[in-house]
Amino acid sequence: MTSTLEIWAATPTPFGPDGELFLPVVADQGKHLLAHGVHGAFVGGTSGEFPALTTGERKALVDAWAAARPDGLALGTHVGHSTLAEARELAAHAQSAGVDLIASVTPYFGVANTLETAVDFLAAVAAEAPTTPFLYYHFPGMTGSPYRPSELVALAVERIPNFAGVKFTHEDLLEFDRTRAVSSKVRVYFGRDELLPAALAFGADAVIGSLYNALAPQAHQVAAAMAAGRLADALMLHEPFRQVAAEAGRYGGVGFVKEWLNACGPDTGVARTPWGPLPPAAHDTIERLAASWRAVTPEG
């Protein structure tokens, strides 16, 4: 079952047994996503462990996806960096690779001292890819940004010609609603997969998240149930999202989700530090959750 919900999967970065990039897996990732109803791959983000990658590795990852993505699968990438020059280099490279959108966080490990400074940073990054739609990546749980995305967007649409949207990874649905209302030119992609039904009730029509690497079919079913007013069905269909999110919270997040995805689809290896390797107790939980996924997912 498909729906009108636009789904982007925030993809894990593939590593081999030696912990180095293993890019041949990218082709399998792309085929898997397209077969399961995903519209786009969002690479090199939090789920892709971007802070643990060198700039060279991030470029190589984008190049691999640009070369291997199947027809019909869009491609976006995160280009944010703690160093502005590196972020600008990544943005220029992403545009040259032909991606469909780029996104960037604002400075982290020391946030921008004013809202205007944050927008200045984003504007400088976006200017290196002027013909590519640009998204602000709002993830205050990781970046520590204190600024309301609705206020940032109001400035950004005036300052950044290719500003096109927000990757909104936060649980504040009132602010999500305010951000969506700022401009009809801005699309807000909801990024808290475990709150999908609530976001749909607030009008979400596009999402970017890691759990969609495996649970995109269920997400389409959730969206269809919500559109039909079947809330109880939507919540039941959404339960696997909440289960994985709860267990990921116990075992460090990114690394747990990555190894759960390995059990549900192409194997992308163990997360780099600080997210991996996982404690032994996590693996039984991963297999239990993956077995439930295989029981209900086509071609699982």
Side-chain angles (χ1 to χ4, degrees):
M1 177 185 296
T2 58
S3 67
T4 59
L5 182 66
E6 181 180 329
I7 297 177
W8 290 66
T11 60
T13 295
F15 302 130
D18 59 358
E20 298 302 310
L21 287 184
F22 189 66
L23 297 176
V25 177
V26 166
D28 292 334
Q29 289 179 276
K31 292 174 185 176
H32 174 84
L33 295 181
L34 193 65
H36 286 83
V38 173
H39 300 100
F42 182 76
V43 309
T46 305
S47 300
E49 304 173 64
F50 80 89
L53 303 178
T54 67
T55 296
E57 287 175 324
R58 293 173 71 178
K59 289 180 178 181
L61 180 66
V62 170
D63 288 341
W65 272 97
R69 62 165 160 166
D71 291 342
L73 186 71
L75 177 61
T77 184
H78 172 249
V79 300
H81 199 284
S82 57
T83 302
L84 177 56
E86 299 290 311
R88 296 177 69 179
E89 182 178 338
L90 287 163
H93 173 265
Q95 179 164 287
S96 71
V99 304
D100 298 294
L101 61 82
I102 63 173
S104 178
V105 294
T106 49
Y108 55 93
F109 200 79
V111 301
N113 59 350
T114 67
L115 179 61
E116 290 77 11
T117 302
V119 175
D120 287 345
F121 180 95
L122 296 175
V125 176
E128 297 298 318
T131 63
T132 305
F134 179 84
L135 274 60
Y136 163 51
Y137 187 169
H138 177 64
F139 197 172
M142 286 290 192
T143 66
S145 174
Y147 303 116
R148 291 184 180 275
S150 58
E151 296 174 355
L152 185 148
V153 168
L155 288 179
V157 294
E158 300 296 329
R159 291 276 318 282
I160 303 174
N162 54 329
F163 191 83
V166 179
K167 184 183 185 300
F168 190 101
T169 306
H170 196 238
E171 57 276 3
D172 187 344
L173 288 165
L174 291 177
E175 183 60 18
F176 172 73
D177 187 53
R178 285 189 288 264
T179 303
R180 292 182 72 241
V182 171
S183 171
S184 61
K185 299 178 182 179
V186 174
R187 190 155 205 196
V188 183
Y189 296 79
F190 190 70
R192 281 289 190 205
D193 313 1
E194 65 273 29
L195 295 177
L196 176 61
L200 291 168
F202 271 80
D205 58 6
V207 295
I208 301 175
S210 60
L211 301 189
Y212 303 114
N213 286 280
L215 294 174
Q218 289 82 354
H220 282 301
Q221 293 173 348
V222 170
M226 289 293 293
R230 297 185 286 111
L231 177 59
D233 289 344
L235 291 174
M236 179 184 67
L237 291 162
H238 182 258
E239 186 175 359
F241 290 84
R242 304 192 301 275
Q243 291 176 337
V244 173
E247 296 296 344
R250 294 177 57 196
Y251 293 110
V254 171
F256 181 90
V257 171
K258 185 174 191 179
E259 295 202 41
W260 171 72
L261 291 174
N262 290 345
C264 297
D267 192 332
T268 58
V270 175
R272 287 179 175 175
T273 186
W275 297 292
L278 295 179
H283 292 284
D284 289 343
T285 300
I286 286 170
E287 181 50 39
R288 173 175 55 81
L289 293 173
S292 297
W293 175 86
R294 287 190 289 268
V296 299
T297 303
E299 302 178 12

